[in-house]
């Protein structure tokens, strides 16, 4: 059974601190996506990682992909309150239809 | 900036009734998807659609579900006889190309409540 697990599920951190969210998946894939979801809202695309070793950065967020370890990370640098949201990773199952299998989500709360 | 739109934003229905959820994908996109998210849980893939036919569907997408692109702009999800467990947020998504760096853009969602 395919699993996409995120760790931690809940994260409360103070502004200015750094932290990493982990996404482990159990299938072979070299396409991984990170999305952000604010409460009651839709999913906003953050990063698309398409190969082993891919690293992308946008503002205080940086994502990386290690396809051999089947692991992606989302690193938060000097967190600010505006980053509070739920973050989902999603794996492309490479079935040809670009279907995404989402992780469990990490609910991040940044405390001022 | 182009965006995916969905209507209605909230649909309340009685168990056993049929519902149709509507989506207008981004105009130059060719691939369309439906996902659902039960409250507090992860997002689950339902179905993908390309060239007027289903590309792939999940186990959730049983005979009670159907999708259609009735015209050049709308993409609909029909649930023939709703069950309590169908209560969820339903997201439509679209992408320009399947095998590229293009990501899937999600609509704002329709919250379906089955009573």
């Amino acid at each position: 059974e395919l699993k996409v697990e995120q760790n931690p599920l809940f994260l409360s951190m103070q502004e200015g601190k750094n932290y990493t969210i982990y996404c482990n998946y159990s299938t072979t894939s070299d396409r991984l996506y990170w999305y952000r979801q604010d409460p009651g809202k839709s999913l906003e695309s953050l990063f698309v990682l398409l190969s082993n070793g891919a690293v992308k950065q946008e503002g205080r967020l940086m994502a990386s992909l290690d396809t051999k370890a089947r692991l992606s990370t989302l690193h938060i640098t000097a967190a600010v309150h505006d980053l509070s949201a739920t973050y989902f990773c999603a794996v492309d199952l490479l079935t040809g239809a670009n279907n995404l299998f989402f992780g469990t989500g990490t609910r991040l709360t940044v405390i001022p | 900036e182009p965006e995916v739109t969905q209507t209605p934003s909230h649909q309340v229905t009685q168990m056993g009734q049929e519902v149709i959820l509507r989506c207008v994908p981004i105009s130059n996109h060719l691939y369309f998807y439906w996902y659902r998210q039960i409250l507090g849980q992860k997002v689950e893939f339902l179905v993908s659609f390309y060239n007027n036919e289903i590309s792939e569907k999940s186990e959730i997408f049983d005979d009670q579900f159907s999708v259609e692109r009735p015209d050049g702009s709308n993409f609909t999800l029909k649930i023939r006889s709703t069950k309590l467990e169908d209560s969820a947020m339903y997201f439509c998504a679209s992408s320009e190309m399947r095998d590229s760096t293009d990501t899937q853009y999600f609509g704002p969602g329709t919250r379906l409540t089955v009573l």
Side-chain angles (χ1 to χ4, degrees):
Chain A
E1 179 188 342
L2 171 62
K3 290 184 180 179
V4 181
E5 295 179 330
Q6 290 182 232
N7 178 38
L9 298 181
F10 298 93
L11 174 57
S12 181
M13 56 191 298
Q14 288 189 317
E15 279 190 332
K17 298 293 186 181
N18 304 332
Y19 208 84
T20 299
I21 298 171
Y22 298 89
C23 173
N24 289 92
Y25 54 97
S26 62
T27 188
T28 301
S29 178
D30 59 1
R31 293 184 188 176
L32 190 130
Y33 302 77
W34 283 96
Y35 284 87
R36 168 185 171 143
Q37 185 180 39
D38 291 296
K41 302 292 186 181
S42 188
L43 293 105
E44 174 190 354
S45 175
L46 294 175
F47 299 108
V48 179
L49 304 169
L50 297 175
S51 62
N52 185 40
V55 177
K56 291 196 174 179
Q57 182 165 4
E58 181 72 34
R60 301 175 187 273
L61 301 178
M62 182 173 72
S64 66
L65 178 62
D66 181 343
T67 58
K68 294 179 181 178
R70 299 181 182 177
L71 170 69
S72 180
T73 61
L74 180 66
H75 187 73
I76 303 155
T77 301
V80 293
H81 181 66
D82 287 350
L83 291 180
S84 297
T86 299
Y87 293 85
F88 289 95
C89 64
V91 175
D92 186 334
L93 298 180
L94 302 182
T95 58
N98 199 27
N99 309 329
L100 299 182
F101 196 96
F102 280 79
T104 47
T106 296
R107 182 174 294 180
L108 170 66
T109 303
V110 181
I111 304 167
Chain B
E1 184 177 334
E3 58 183 18
V4 177
T5 60
Q6 291 184 243
T7 55
S9 57
H10 192 188
Q11 175 88 49
V12 181
T13 189
Q14 296 289 326
M15 189 170 56
Q17 294 296 304
E18 175 183 288
V19 294
I20 297 176
L21 310 183
R22 291 181 169 78
C23 167
V24 179
I26 296 173
S27 61
N28 64 332
H29 285 190
L30 301 177
Y31 297 89
F32 315 119
Y33 310 85
W34 283 101
Y35 292 84
R36 80 171 186 191
Q37 184 180 32
I38 296 171
L39 186 63
Q41 298 186 23
K42 67 178 181 180
V43 179
E44 300 174 291
F45 167 75
L46 292 178
V47 65
S48 57
F49 191 87
Y50 169 70
N51 199 25
N52 286 318
E53 62 182 23
I54 291 174
S55 299
E56 194 156 333
K57 58 185 180 180
S58 72
E59 293 177 351
I60 302 168
F61 194 88
D62 61 21
D63 292 343
Q64 293 299 314
F65 291 87
S66 64
V67 289
E68 194 177 35
R69 189 158 164 82
D71 52 43
S73 60
N74 289 285
F75 179 51
T76 62
L77 174 69
K78 181 192 290 187
I79 308 175
R80 264 180 272 280
S81 178
T82 50
K83 301 188 280 282
L84 294 177
E85 53 264 38
D86 293 329
S87 294
M89 182 74 89
Y90 288 81
F91 292 106
C92 173
S94 69
S95 65
E96 187 173 1
M97 294 176 66
R98 192 166 59 195
D99 295 318
S100 77
T101 59
D102 288 341
T103 192
Q104 293 180 27
Y105 293 89
F106 283 74
T110 293
R111 182 172 298 280
L112 176 64
T113 303
V114 182
L115 302 176

